[in-house]
Amino acid sequence: MPGGRRPQQAAGYEMRSKRFGATAAFAALGAYTVARSALRFAYSDDFDLALDRWPPSAAWLWAQHNEHRMALPKLLIAWCARHGDFRAGVWLSLALMTAACAWLVARVERGWTVGVLAPAVLLSPASNAWHWDVELQFVAGAALFVVAFATALTARRARDAGVVAAASLLLSLTGGNGLVLAGATALASILLARDAALDRSTRVIFALGAAATLAVGAAYLAGYQAPPAHEALHATSAAQLVAVAAHLAVAPLGGIAERAVIAAAPLAVVAFVAAFAAWRAPRRAIFACFLGGSLALVAVIAAARAGRGWPPGLEL
């Protein structure tokens, strides 16, 4: 028997190496980037979000920062910077996205489509997220969205519903970007709550998660005040909107986003192949919810920022 286990163990190791090899490789490249390039000092929003903010008050956590109510990123950024080393938040960003990427690869078995493309996009070494701790806001939202997406597509038990519910609820606390994505996770949860193939307890958890997410979203919008200075940044023409949306489509590739027209064409082909593979999977309505949420986020950011063209710093 011991001799018989060795081929099985070797086969299992080979399978894991193939499935998670790309994730490990891109995570290592990201770690190299963080070690070499992450900002050690306070910069820009750090003066509002990190310096002398620990321990934070509940009122400050919930208060708007520009157009965002971002209680979760505020808490994490302030905690990471409490000893004065602002690289800690960047390392946390890398850890969160690596974990989310590994979760996606483990849950959605689509060969190279997910195993290679997911880490190439989510853990791109060119990402701006590996340079500045405040990018943790966008990383946290993206990581939670990926976890919710991968779990919802394959959910079978109450534990899966709990993961989706928790990720959806936390998304609403990551800022305006998370609020848009939380709408997609809430809709997916409502659809799963109506899935007769799931047991009653699982459907109840999905329903409660959707209700809690929508409640937090309503609280987010209650008393919301649009920053007056941002009105000048809104899109004033369709051409502006399309141009910034093209940049956002390749934003995970970091600096390459400056050449969006060149980068978007091959990326569009790759995205089409990935979407086609995912669309053939079960629960196409759930996939459509998450795809719609992603497109809605691109549209909202483009509409809110296109007035000044493509500014540096939007690369995730």
Side-chain angles (χ1 to χ4, degrees):
M1 288 297 292
R5 289 197 189 99
R6 290 181 181 177
Q8 295 178 354
Q9 292 174 346
Y13 176 77
E14 182 179 359
M15 181 185 71
R16 289 191 296 271
S17 298
K18 288 181 178 179
R19 291 183 63 186
F20 296 101
T23 299
F26 278 99
L29 289 173
Y32 176 79
T33 303
V34 173
R36 290 291 301 270
S37 305
L39 293 176
R40 299 167 179 261
F41 49 83
Y43 172 73
S44 188
D45 294 76
D46 279 317
F47 291 99
D48 293 325
L49 300 177
L51 287 180
D52 299 322
R53 292 297 186 181
W54 190 263
S57 66
W60 176 75
L61 288 174
W62 186 247
Q64 276 186 234
H65 175 71
N66 295 322
E67 65 268 55
H68 301 288
R69 294 191 195 275
M70 41 187 285
L72 180 60
K74 278 183 173 181
L75 180 66
L76 295 176
I77 292 168
W79 179 76
C80 287
R82 68 192 190 283
H83 295 307
D85 189 345
F86 292 85
R87 294 174 300 174
V90 188
W91 283 113
L92 180 58
S93 289
L94 180 62
L96 288 175
M97 193 57 82
T98 301
C101 190
W103 183 271
L104 175 64
V105 173
R107 299 280 306 204
V108 182
E109 298 181 6
R110 286 278 150 187
W112 71 272
T113 306
V114 172
V116 175
L117 292 183
V121 173
L122 298 175
L123 294 170
S124 169
S127 172
N128 204 46
W130 318 142
H131 298 279
W132 185 31
D133 63 332
V134 175
E135 292 284 353
L136 181 58
Q137 178 204 349
F138 303 105
V139 171
L144 289 166
F145 190 64
V146 167
V147 169
F149 168 67
T151 309
L153 280 181
T154 56
R156 294 289 182 271
R157 296 172 291 180
R159 182 174 61 183
D160 298 329
V163 170
V164 175
S168 182
L169 184 61
L170 290 174
L171 258 176
S172 302
L173 300 175
T174 61
N177 50 301
L179 187 67
V180 174
L181 296 177
T185 59
L187 179 57
S189 296
I190 291 171
L191 293 177
L192 289 168
R194 296 168 57 86
D195 188 346
L198 300 175
D199 62 60
R200 186 175 183 275
S201 61
T202 301
R203 288 186 279 119
V204 167
I205 294 173
F206 274 123
L208 292 175
T213 299
L214 294 174
V216 173
Y220 183 113
L221 296 174
Y224 174 83
Q225 295 181 345
H230 287 192
E231 293 182 5
L233 306 179
H234 295 174
T236 57
S237 69
Q240 286 182 332
L241 188 66
V242 171
V244 173
H247 283 295
L248 287 168
V250 293
L253 302 181
I256 298 176
E258 297 297 334
R259 298 174 289 279
V261 176
I262 298 174
L267 188 66
V269 175
V270 173
F272 176 79
V273 173
F276 179 75
W279 188 255
R280 295 175 59 192
R283 294 185 174 171
R284 287 181 292 182
I286 303 302
F287 174 77
C289 288
F290 284 87
L291 177 61
S294 302
L295 295 176
L297 180 60
V298 169
V300 168
I301 296 177
R305 291 291 184 270
R308 65 172 180 176
W310 176 255
L314 280 182
E315 306 91 340
L316 172 53

